[in-house]
Amino acid sequence: MPGSPLCARIRATALVVAMLLLAWPGSAAAPVLDTIWAGCTGGVTGGGSATRILADGRLVRLSQARAGAPWVSEDKGRDAGLYAQLARALDEGGFAGLRGGPPGNLTCWLERVWATGRGWRVQWAGTEPPADWPEAVRGAFATLREAGL
C-alpha cells in the first residue's frame, strides 16, 4: 500500500542510497564511475547493509543498525578484477532487462549505475534473488554481498 509504513521505509532507504551515490568522497570535478550495489534492508530492526563496488575497484560496505540510524561506511579495499567480473556477469545475464518484485519484510536489491548516469535497479522480497533469474546475475549478487563481509 502506497501510504504504509513499509513503503515509507523503502522510500527513505532509496533516498539514503541515492544520497550515498552522490556523496562519494572526492572533488566535485571527479569523474563519475560505474557502480554496482547489492544490499538488503528491513526485517525486525529495519536496518540493513549494502556493498558497493566502483569501476576502479573501490569496495565499500555500508551498514545501518536500524531504520533511521546513520549509515556506517567501511572501506573493504580495492579489486578492479572483481568489478570486471561482476559487470561481465550482469551484462551476460541480461541484468538491465530484469524485473524485480514487490518489497517484503526484508527487501534486497541489486543496482548498477553507469558513468553516463543511466542506471537499473531491481528489488525483491527475501535474501535470494528470484529463482528464474539467470545464474550469472544471481551469482553476481551473492559474490558482491560476500565481498563486503
Side-chain angles (χ1 to χ4, degrees), residues 12-35:
T13 300
L15 178 61
V16 167
V17 170
M19 290 186 321
L20 289 169
L21 271 172
L22 296 172
W24 187 260
S27 71
V32 175
L33 296 176
D34 289 2
T35 305

Side-chain angles (χ1 to χ4, degrees), residues 7-23 37 71 109 111 121:
C7 285
R9 188 167 57 192
I10 290 168
R11 282 192 302 274
T13 300
L15 178 61
V16 167
V17 170
M19 290 186 321
L20 289 169
L21 271 172
L22 296 172
W37 290 84
W71 284 87
W109 74 89
E111 179 175 355
R121 178 186 169 120

Side-chain angles (χ1 to χ4, degrees), residues 1-134:
M1 294 174 47
S4 75
L6 177 60
C7 285
R9 188 167 57 192
I10 290 168
R11 282 192 302 274
T13 300
L15 178 61
V16 167
V17 170
M19 290 186 321
L20 289 169
L21 271 172
L22 296 172
W24 187 260
S27 71
V32 175
L33 296 176
D34 289 2
T35 305
I36 301 171
W37 290 84
C40 298
T41 57
V44 174
T45 66
S49 63
T51 303
R52 175 185 186 203
I53 190 166
L54 286 92
D56 68 0
R58 283 182 281 173
L59 188 63
V60 177
R61 171 116 172 130
L62 299 151
S63 58
Q64 183 184 40
R66 65 187 185 297
W71 284 87
V72 177
S73 175
E74 178 185 358
D75 182 4
K76 299 302 273 187
R78 191 177 291 256
D79 189 342
L82 176 61
Y83 177 86
Q85 171 193 339
L86 295 170
R88 190 171 39 257
L90 294 179
D91 290 344
E92 291 172 359
F95 172 71
L98 293 176
R99 300 283 181 227
N105 182 43
L106 178 67
T107 301
C108 292
W109 74 89
L110 184 58
E111 179 175 355
R112 184 167 184 195
V113 179
W114 291 270
T116 61
R118 188 174 65 94
W120 191 258
R121 178 186 169 120
V122 290
Q123 70 177 18
W124 59 90
T127 58
E128 296 297 320
D132 61 345
W133 280 13

